Amino acid sequence: MSVLEPELAAPVPGPVRTVRRERGVLQRPGFWLALAFTALVVVAAVAPGLLTGQDPLEIHLAQSFAAPSAAHPFGTDQSGRDVLSRVVHGAGQSLLIGIGATALGLGGALVLGLLGGLGGRAVDAVTTRIVEVLYAFPGLLLALILIAVFGNSAGTQLLAVGVASVPGYARMVRGQVLSVRGSLYVQAERVLGHSPARILFRTVLPNAFRPLAVLVTLGIGQAIVWATALGFLGLGVQPPAPEWGAMLNAGRNYLQQAWWLDFFPGAVIVLFTLSLTALGRAIRTAVQPGGHR
């Protein structure tokens, strides 16, 4: 597993170009569609009762494998459970894992990246070796080890995905800190006699982290995909819990007779990931006017 590493172009001064970029983003239909779908998933995660009144765990064997209809828009599964309600209630768990894993990955990356970017050569060498070891360690193998130790659970998924995302973020944090620390405006502040603490907290850190803030949106989508993959392999939350990856794993045995069991959860995963990616790119365009459109 590795984290998506989009290009982080250096900001170009000029409020006129920034305004034009922001207006261009807001005028794109794709941006509003992505925002609307993301908001819908967030509502499903926070208040699933607003979107469905069905119990995701309620079994009706007489309605097993019912095709999509007005009563069950996404059909029912092998136990007669409403697939729509399971997809809606599964949004909360998937979103929680995505946000938690991204926060965990960024937290570990900040520690390693700041130590490498602001420490001396010895500290930088140690942190670099740690990041390289994490990069060389297969993410799936790491997940298997954590699951063997802690068991199958949402917490294990979160931990595995979060730790696996640390090295990619750490490299970018270190690179940004080194770039900003060696910039002309930081050197000018040193000449003016500003204290190291002032330069660090008021100049280096804000300028280094502003481009990385865009990765939060992209990272959540990537983390959800990883967590879903673990659930599909049976390494995450176990049935009958409504979790997107577990639903895909359970439905793959009935594809010929009930295609909707995998189609609808898979479509939601794809659309949600694409929406988060579109929002992340839009934010990057807005905050980095010199970047790619």
Side-chain angles (χ1 to χ4, degrees):
M1 296 182 180
S2 62
V3 176
L4 292 175
E5 300 185 19
E7 297 179 4
L8 297 175
V12 177
V16 175
R17 294 187 63 186
T18 302
V19 171
R20 288 177 180 174
R21 295 280 187 173
E22 291 175 348
R23 288 178 178 174
V25 169
L26 296 178
Q27 290 174 354
R28 295 175 185 175
F31 169 79
W32 292 107
L33 289 175
L35 184 62
F37 191 82
T38 301
L40 183 64
V41 174
V42 172
V43 170
V46 176
L50 295 177
L51 301 179
T52 177
Q54 299 279 350
D55 185 348
L57 301 179
E58 188 175 356
I59 295 176
H60 299 281
L61 294 178
Q63 301 179 15
S64 299
F65 298 119
S69 62
H72 303 284
F74 287 5
T76 63
D77 63 8
Q78 66 275 14
S79 299
R81 295 171 297 204
D82 183 67
V83 175
L84 173 61
S85 67
R86 292 179 62 78
V87 171
V88 170
H89 283 81
Q93 191 154 242
S94 297
L95 191 59
L96 177 63
I97 292 175
I99 294 175
T102 302
L104 178 62
L106 283 174
L110 289 178
V111 175
L112 294 175
L114 288 177
L115 288 175
L118 299 176
R121 290 186 177 180
V123 176
D124 188 22
V126 172
T127 56
T128 301
R129 297 292 86 78
I130 293 175
V131 172
E132 289 177 351
V133 170
L134 290 175
Y135 249 125
F137 206 81
L140 181 58
L141 180 58
L142 174 62
L144 291 173
I145 294 174
L146 292 175
I147 289 171
V149 174
F150 299 106
N152 294 345
S153 66
T156 305
Q157 282 181 297
L158 189 155
L159 183 62
V161 175
V163 172
S165 65
V166 167
Y169 289 133
R171 286 182 60 183
M172 285 182 281
V173 171
R174 175 182 175 274
Q176 287 294 114
V177 170
L178 288 175
S179 176
V180 174
R181 192 180 68 173
S183 62
L184 293 178
Y185 52 86
V186 171
Q187 296 178 18
E189 291 196 359
R190 290 173 180 167
V191 172
L192 292 174
H194 293 169
S195 65
R198 174 189 171 90
I199 296 175
L200 173 63
F201 290 105
R202 299 195 61 178
T203 304
V204 175
L205 296 184
N207 284 281
F209 293 158
R210 186 177 296 113
L212 296 176
V214 180
L215 295 180
V216 173
T217 305
L218 299 174
I220 292 174
Q222 186 67 53
I224 290 175
V225 171
W226 291 353
T228 301
L230 292 176
F232 178 77
L233 295 174
L235 303 178
V237 180
Q238 298 301 299
E243 195 271 330
W244 291 345
M247 292 177 63
L248 292 176
N249 183 35
R252 66 187 176 89
N253 298 318
Y254 308 101
L255 285 177
Q256 293 185 348
Q257 62 185 111
W259 55 267
W260 54 87
L261 296 183
D262 273 355
F263 175 80
F264 289 111
V268 170
I269 294 170
V270 172
L271 291 176
F272 187 44
T273 304
L274 290 176
S275 297
L276 290 174
T277 302
L279 291 179
R281 290 180 175 177
I283 296 172
R284 181 179 64 179
T285 302
V287 301
Q288 295 179 251
H292 297 292
R293 299 190 65 173

